[in-house]
Amino acid sequence: MSVSRPNVSNDLIWQITRNQNAYLVRRNTGGGSQFSRDPLNLVNKHSFKYSGFANNKAIGVQSDDNGNVVVITKKPNNPQQPAKNQVVTTYGPSTSTRKVYKGVASKTAQHGYRADVREEAVARVSALRRAALPKKETPASKPRGAKARQAEKSE
């Protein structure tokens, strides 16, 4: 049994859809920056390298409401079936960060999948984990110098 593949290359898909697609976000400020809301885009940058819809092999890292890290990869074998095309791996909030890093790095490295985006994927996991941490309360700063002397006199 052979797998049928479409005759359309990833480059052609990108050339056709780069100026108009559902994930494109354009901003007039900052010199007309272009961003992407693609869930398989690691850095939210509108470019062919990071585009999840234009590449047969793509990886996305997100977090959900429970603090889990969700890693989504695309199967390169069946691009004609987008609904069955994604593999979702979830790492819970109690999973050690090193284990999550190792899992994401191994997903990008397996069989030459997308080793070029390994660093960005691990950085995304790191940012999501850091954002999920509770914020530290900063202690109230004590007045020093003239303000401290003035506060002592008023007490």
Side-chain angles (χ1 to χ4, degrees):
M1 182 171 134
S2 66
V3 176
S4 65
R5 304 194 105 207
N7 293 333
V8 182
S9 71
N10 294 337
D11 294 321
L12 180 61
I13 292 171
W14 175 251
Q15 289 296 323
I16 292 170
T17 61
R18 72 179 176 170
N19 291 325
Q20 282 187 328
N21 62 65
Y23 302 117
L24 179 60
V25 179
R26 292 184 174 162
R27 295 285 181 248
N28 291 331
T29 58
S33 304
Q34 292 185 344
F35 300 103
S36 176
R37 288 190 178 125
D38 189 357
L40 295 174
N41 189 325
L42 289 169
V43 293
N44 296 338
K45 185 177 179 182
H46 182 67
S47 69
F48 175 67
K49 178 180 179 180
Y50 300 114
S51 173
F53 67 89
N55 286 304
N56 283 344
K57 298 176 181 179
I59 184 167
V61 180
Q62 300 172 342
S63 67
D64 64 2
D65 298 337
N66 303 329
N68 298 332
V69 174
V70 180
V71 180
I72 306 166
T73 54
K74 237 173 132 175
K75 293 180 190 175
N77 296 341
N78 58 347
Q80 71 277 7
Q81 296 176 327
K84 299 177 182 178
N85 194 341
Q86 295 183 351
V87 178
V88 178
T89 307
T90 304
Y91 297 97
S94 61
T95 307
S96 74
T97 305
R98 284 181 181 234
K99 188 172 184 179
V100 179
Y101 289 164
K102 188 174 181 181
V104 170
S106 69
K107 282 219 179 275
T108 58
Q110 59 183 312
H111 309 295
Y113 190 74
R114 282 295 297 268
D116 61 327
V117 295
R118 179 182 308 134
E119 191 174 325
E120 288 89 351
V122 173
R124 179 83 174 215
V125 170
S126 178
L128 291 173
R129 282 294 177 111
R130 201 174 323 113
L133 291 175
K135 296 207 175 188
K136 294 181 181 177
E137 292 185 27
T138 56
S141 61
K142 296 179 183 178
R144 296 190 275 170
K147 289 183 180 179
R149 283 186 234 113
Q150 198 175 36
E152 287 175 8
K153 288 179 185 177
S154 64
E155 291 178 357

